[in-house]
Amino acid sequence: MNTINTENKAADHIPEENRPQSSKWIKVGDLQPFPPIAKALPPKPEMVASIAEVMRTVGYDGSQPITTWRDQVVDGNTRLAAAKEAGLAKVPCVEMSFNSEDDALFYAISRQVQRRNLNDAEIARLFELLDKPVPRGGTPTRGSALSIAGKPAI
């Protein structure tokens, strides 16, 4: 059973009933990138080639499913690109339920920040996605950029 670490800040925004329970194999052609993340952090060709070579040799590691929402890849665009390059027909996916595109975006960004060695320009692009004005009299619904990065606000 696949579960999300509840210490993960992104998991705090996913109700228990919406968390993925198991993966299913989906045709790679049926999956599309989640546009905000795909634009901000496109897969790096050298990483795609490296992962594709491993996939051609040993197949797809089912312990690392692609996270989807509405048939869009919220987390796993590099793995999907590598699977396509390796000629795989299907990949394991877990479908998440989010209340909004903002929730999906917050989850995707927090996963990227936790896992990657991002340079300053990549981090800035991700935080620009979250930098939406709060309506007059409204309150922010997300943590600060620092909290996403796992750093305390000062």
Side-chain angles (χ1 to χ4, degrees), residues 4 14 18-20 67-70 94-98 107:
I4 297 174
I14 303 169
N18 295 343
R19 294 184 185 173
T67 303
T68 62
W69 177 59
R70 299 179 179 169
V94 291
E95 176 73 16
M96 299 284 287
S97 295
F98 297 102
Y107 174 84

Side-chain angles (χ1 to χ4, degrees), residues 32-143:
Q32 301 300 318
F34 185 50
I37 293 298
K39 183 178 178 183
L41 288 175
K44 296 176 180 174
E46 65 279 1
M47 183 64 70
V48 171
S50 175
I51 295 171
E53 183 60 34
V54 171
M55 288 180 180
R56 279 190 283 275
T57 304
V58 298
Y60 193 101
D61 178 359
S63 71
Q64 300 296 317
I66 292 171
T67 303
T68 62
W69 177 59
R70 299 179 179 169
D71 295 322
Q72 294 183 338
V73 177
V74 176
D75 182 49
N77 285 306
T78 299
R79 284 171 274 151
L80 178 61
K84 287 178 180 179
E85 187 172 308
L88 302 183
K90 293 182 177 182
V91 292
C93 297
V94 291
E95 176 73 16
M96 299 284 287
S97 295
F98 297 102
N99 293 324
S100 67
E101 186 171 306
D102 283 347
D103 286 348
L105 181 60
F106 181 81
Y107 174 84
I109 290 172
S110 66
R111 297 291 297 155
Q112 294 301 317
V113 169
Q114 290 171 5
R115 190 175 49 248
R116 290 184 179 216
N117 291 320
L118 301 173
N119 63 41
D120 291 342
E122 291 169 324
I123 292 170
R125 282 196 303 270
L126 290 176
F127 290 142
E128 284 174 4
L129 294 174
L130 291 177
D131 189 23
K132 296 180 182 177
V134 176
R136 178 175 256 178
T139 57
T141 58
R142 297 285 164 264

